[in-house]
Amino acid sequence: MEVTQEDVGTVRAFNRFYTGVIGVLGEGLVRSPYSLTEARVIFELAQRTDTEVLALRRALGLDAGYLSRMLARFEADGLVVRERAAGDARRQIVRLTPRGREVFAMLDERTVAEIRGLLDGLAPGDRRRLLAAMRAIHAVLGDRPRSDGVVLRPLRPGDLGWVVERNGALYDAECGWDRTYEALVASVVAGYVRDHDPERENAWIAESDGVRVGGVFCVKREDGVAQLRLLHVEPDARGMGAGAALVDACVRFAAEAGYREIMLWTTALQRPAHRLYERAGFVLDEEEPPAEMFGDVVHGQVWRRKL
């Protein structure tokens, strides 16, 4: 997909905004005499006793001359000492002095205080959104691998609307279904809230790194039969185990709630989900004749598992 001028403008606008938020354009970082780059060097040196200058330069992507002049200033101020490595005079080692570690402690304390102040001023929902967005930026642009950890949690305010929105968008993109499917999802969600029996029904949201990546509902079908409904996993999270975890949570809950059986309705299109259901012990019980629904011809299926 081609990068548009609007895309470029969005990134530039965010960069301008965020550098203002964290105060890197002022006289010094966190009301100190040190620039952002100088503070990064001090933070890096504080992580170990000795640091090789070449490794420091590569880790921070700094010009050799620029880093050398910075370290010379730090040395003149009594923050660091530099010496040749034992056994290899070509390698230079740098370490923080006790005074340098005092400066690091000051920078660290002030940075933590400013971050706490930023987060304390946000409503809980806004704080979660902000932290999730930061994790997402780090995962996409950073050098760390995406977490494979998936956590299930109960519903929170805003989750129901997200379930409706994501189901509607995903089934439109992947199956070509029209808005009548989204309307069906909305009616299922509304029914769950309206007639909810907490002893016999439950729902879960799957998260990875604080980001919602899937969801599922377990509802009462009839007295002895539970129904798994609205299972979905975000495309970027498939293969991480979210789907299996959501299905397993439904099966365990239904068994503990005293149901004798759990069933689900799906279609012949959802082959990846079929594999999840099979691994969880579900068996295809009924193939429905083709029917027109959601702007498509749908081959419905009923899957069941004894508990």
Side-chain angles (χ1 to χ4, degrees):
M1 184 174 66
E2 182 183 358
V3 176
T4 68
Q5 200 59 34
E6 183 180 359
D7 296 335
V8 173
T10 297
V11 174
R12 294 183 68 181
F14 175 80
N15 289 343
R16 291 195 300 271
F17 165 76
Y18 193 63
T19 51
V21 169
I22 62 175
V24 301
L25 299 180
E27 291 297 318
L29 187 70
V30 289
R31 307 177 313 284
S32 78
Y34 304 102
S35 69
L36 175 63
T37 304
E38 290 169 336
R40 287 186 65 203
V41 170
I42 293 171
F43 274 106
E44 189 69 25
L45 292 175
Q47 305 311 306
R48 57 195 65 83
T49 302
D50 295 332
T51 302
E52 188 176 349
V53 172
L54 178 59
L56 177 66
R57 178 170 67 84
R58 287 175 174 171
L60 298 180
L62 297 177
D63 174 78
Y66 177 53
L67 177 60
S68 179
R69 291 190 295 274
M70 185 188 304
L71 293 176
R73 290 198 303 274
F74 286 170
E75 194 169 29
D77 292 342
L79 304 186
V80 304
V81 292
R82 291 186 289 177
E83 59 188 32
R84 295 296 172 182
D88 189 349
R90 296 169 300 177
R91 295 170 52 224
Q92 189 179 61
I93 302 298
V94 61
R95 70 173 64 92
L96 288 178
T97 64
R99 169 60 183 156
R101 293 205 168 266
E102 289 178 3
V103 169
F104 162 73
M106 176 271 292
L107 290 171
D108 189 53
E109 181 179 345
R110 290 185 184 180
T111 299
V112 169
E114 289 209 353
I115 292 172
R116 287 189 182 278
L118 174 67
L119 296 179
D120 284 342
L122 300 175
D126 288 339
R127 185 187 306 172
R128 285 193 296 269
R129 288 173 53 217
L130 175 66
L131 294 175
M134 287 178 166
R135 293 186 191 103
I137 291 172
H138 192 178
V140 172
L141 298 182
D143 56 3
R144 68 185 180 97
R146 183 184 176 90
S147 169
D148 288 332
V150 173
V151 176
L152 302 192
R153 63 164 176 80
L155 294 175
R156 293 176 184 155
D159 286 336
L160 295 176
W162 178 80
V163 167
V164 175
E165 184 257 327
R166 293 308 299 151
N167 270 270
L170 287 174
Y171 278 88
D172 169 67
E174 297 181 354
C175 302
W177 290 358
D178 63 22
R179 68 184 64 183
T180 59
Y181 175 71
E182 188 171 348
L184 172 66
V185 175
S187 68
V188 171
V189 168
Y192 176 83
V193 175
R194 183 178 57 250
D195 303 319
H196 183 56
D197 178 353
E199 300 297 321
R200 305 280 280 168
E201 298 182 318
N202 209 342
W204 298 265
I205 297 294
E207 285 190 346
S208 176
D209 288 337
V211 178
R212 292 178 291 201
V213 297
V216 75
F217 288 69
C218 183
V219 300
K220 177 183 174 182
R221 177 72 176 189
E222 52 190 73
D223 284 345
V225 181
Q227 182 172 1
L228 183 154
R229 303 204 76 173
L230 303 183
L231 173 69
H232 101 273
V233 176
E234 293 293 318
D236 291 346
R238 292 169 190 171
M240 294 170 54
L246 290 165
V247 172
D248 288 346
C250 264
V251 171
R252 285 197 308 271
F253 175 83
E256 292 168 1
Y259 290 103
R260 67 174 186 274
E261 182 182 71
I262 183 169
M263 56 82 64
L264 61 92
W265 183 91
T266 186
T267 78
L269 285 174
Q270 275 71 56
R271 295 189 183 280
H274 297 172
R275 292 190 286 273
L276 282 178
Y277 302 143
E278 288 172 343
R279 288 197 293 269
F282 285 84
V283 176
L284 176 59
D285 179 66
E286 180 184 347
E287 294 246 31
E288 298 176 350
E292 290 188 8
M293 59 179 67
F294 316 135
D296 193 8
V297 177
V298 173
H299 297 251
Q301 297 179 339
V302 176
W303 292 62
R304 298 183 185 275
R305 175 193 156 145
K306 299 295 184 182
L307 299 173

